[in-house]
Amino acid sequence: MLTIQAARRGRIVTKNLSTTAASTTEKMKAIIFDVDDTMYDIATGFTDNRNGITIQNFMVEQLNFPDRLTAKTLRDEYFAKYHSSMKALTVANQDGKLIYGKDFKPEMLNDWFATKCDFSLIGPNPKFIKSLSKLKSENIKLIAFSNGPRKYVLKMLDVLGVKDLFPDDSVFAVDDTLPYCKPEPEAFQKVLDRICANFSEQVKFEDCVMVEDSMKNIRASKELGMKTVLITGTDVNAHHAIDRPTVNDPAIDVVCKDAGEMEDLIPGLWKVPAVFELA
């Protein structure tokens, strides 16, 4: 059994994986990064701000909800089912739940999130940027895949200082996968198909590493055959209880507090060819 404890470095490699299961000599072709709470620390409060006052104000000002509490109640009900504010409001609209005289159009939320979120709460992670900058695109592709709207995701990558490392054809948002979104396998398949088409290369799920903060998305990725890296952030309790990190879950290959630790913990991804080899 692989039992590595290195709390000072923020490392926990899942104890229920054998060394051979965690590491592989097979070439990895893509690292797929979630954005929210993966590329920045959930403890910043940015996600709570976006999923709280920002989306509630949108529903009051753009969809004519009478107050933020009414907006919160409906948004939270649908978000729990659909894991994306854009998909949640799309389905709520189809279900006839937006009863205040305004229909929801996805582009409305795209613009709102890209301009109204409190981006001052987050910023670049120098170690993460330095590590990603060392990776060569001809060796392993960097992909961003978020359940957020596309304009918002592009703004996030810019604010986090990594936009130059993720060209537009390497960025996928919920707009690109609707009517599906993570953790639905159809959403992952849509992204994989686009990766193959954009880079004219055959890529399988087994060739990919998924980097996520969400347990449901980690489990879905593992079921599809991907290697998985869970990002916990500095405060595990900042995650909602339904999706709180469970570091001993067998779907997890490696656990990091911060995505900037990946080069230290999985140095094989920085080799040529890239392999999922642990330190």
Side-chain angles (χ1 to χ4, degrees):
M1 300 294 285
L2 181 62
T3 305
I4 300 177
Q5 295 289 343
R8 289 191 301 275
R9 294 172 59 192
R11 169 166 68 173
I12 309 169
V13 181
T14 47
K15 297 180 184 179
N16 51 353
L17 294 175
S18 69
T19 304
T20 53
S23 296
T24 178
T25 57
E26 296 178 4
K27 179 175 174 12
M28 307 306 293
K29 296 182 179 180
I31 308 176
I32 306 175
F33 286 91
D34 175 49
V35 177
D36 287 308
D37 301 329
T38 296
M39 293 191 183
Y40 62 86
D41 190 352
I42 190 172
T44 61
F46 177 81
T47 293
D48 282 344
N49 179 273
R50 184 191 68 249
N51 288 340
I53 190 172
T54 304
I55 186 69
Q56 292 161 20
N57 284 345
F58 168 80
M59 294 171 71
V60 170
E61 296 183 30
Q62 300 296 312
L63 300 178
N64 285 352
F65 273 67
D67 53 65
R68 284 173 44 197
L69 179 59
T70 305
K72 176 183 182 337
T73 300
L74 182 73
R75 183 267 177 194
D76 289 355
E77 174 191 348
Y78 275 80
F79 187 86
K81 296 177 184 177
Y82 299 109
H83 320 294
S84 160
S85 291
M86 182 176 282
K87 180 168 182 178
L89 291 177
T90 297
V91 176
N93 194 43
Q94 293 168 350
D95 288 350
K97 298 293 187 178
L98 306 185
I99 60 175
Y100 303 105
K102 288 283 189 70
D103 285 335
F104 172 72
K105 296 179 176 56
E107 59 269 21
M108 297 162 63
L109 189 61
N110 233 321
D111 292 334
W112 189 271
F113 272 180
T115 58
K116 301 292 187 179
C117 288
D118 187 358
F119 296 103
S120 68
L121 294 172
I122 56 174
N125 178 340
K127 186 174 182 180
F128 179 54
I129 295 170
K130 183 178 180 180
S131 291
L132 291 192
S133 299
K134 296 177 186 178
L135 293 170
K136 305 298 182 185
S137 61
E138 62 269 19
N139 185 44
I140 192 164
K141 307 299 183 189
L142 293 178
I143 307 296
F145 176 25
S146 170
N147 271 350
R150 186 171 185 81
K151 285 184 183 178
Y152 161 79
V153 173
L154 293 173
K155 175 65 179 282
M156 286 293 296
L157 295 175
D158 188 36
V159 170
L160 295 170
V162 295
K163 191 171 187 302
D164 290 345
L165 300 171
F166 292 89
D168 284 0
D169 62 358
S170 297
V171 178
F172 301 94
V174 70
D175 320 44
D176 301 303
T177 62
L178 285 174
Y180 309 109
C181 66
K182 294 185 290 184
E184 294 171 286
E186 294 90 346
F188 288 98
Q189 187 64 57
K190 278 194 168 191
V191 169
L192 188 72
D193 291 345
R194 288 277 299 277
I195 292 172
C196 293
N198 291 350
F199 297 108
S200 301
E201 182 177 2
Q202 191 62 37
V203 180
K204 307 186 299 295
F205 284 121
E206 291 81 2
D207 303 327
C208 301
V209 180
M210 188 73 211
V211 186
E212 265 281 359
D213 70 288
S214 162
M215 284 304 306
K216 60 182 176 291
N217 294 340
I218 285 283
R219 293 181 184 119
S221 300
K222 179 56 67 176
E223 287 180 8
L224 291 169
M226 289 187 264
K227 293 295 186 181
T228 58
V229 179
L230 176 71
I231 306 298
T232 65
T234 58
D235 182 4
V236 172
N237 291 323
H239 296 261
H240 291 294
I242 194 172
D243 213 26
R244 190 162 293 151
T246 307
V247 298
N248 287 322
D249 192 295
I252 305 168
D253 290 317
V254 174
V255 180
C256 302
K257 288 182 182 178
D258 181 323
E261 298 173 342
M262 286 178 58
E263 184 180 3
D264 296 332
L265 305 185
I266 323 168
L269 293 176
W270 276 258
K271 292 183 177 180
V272 180
V275 293
F276 198 84
E277 179 183 271
L278 307 183

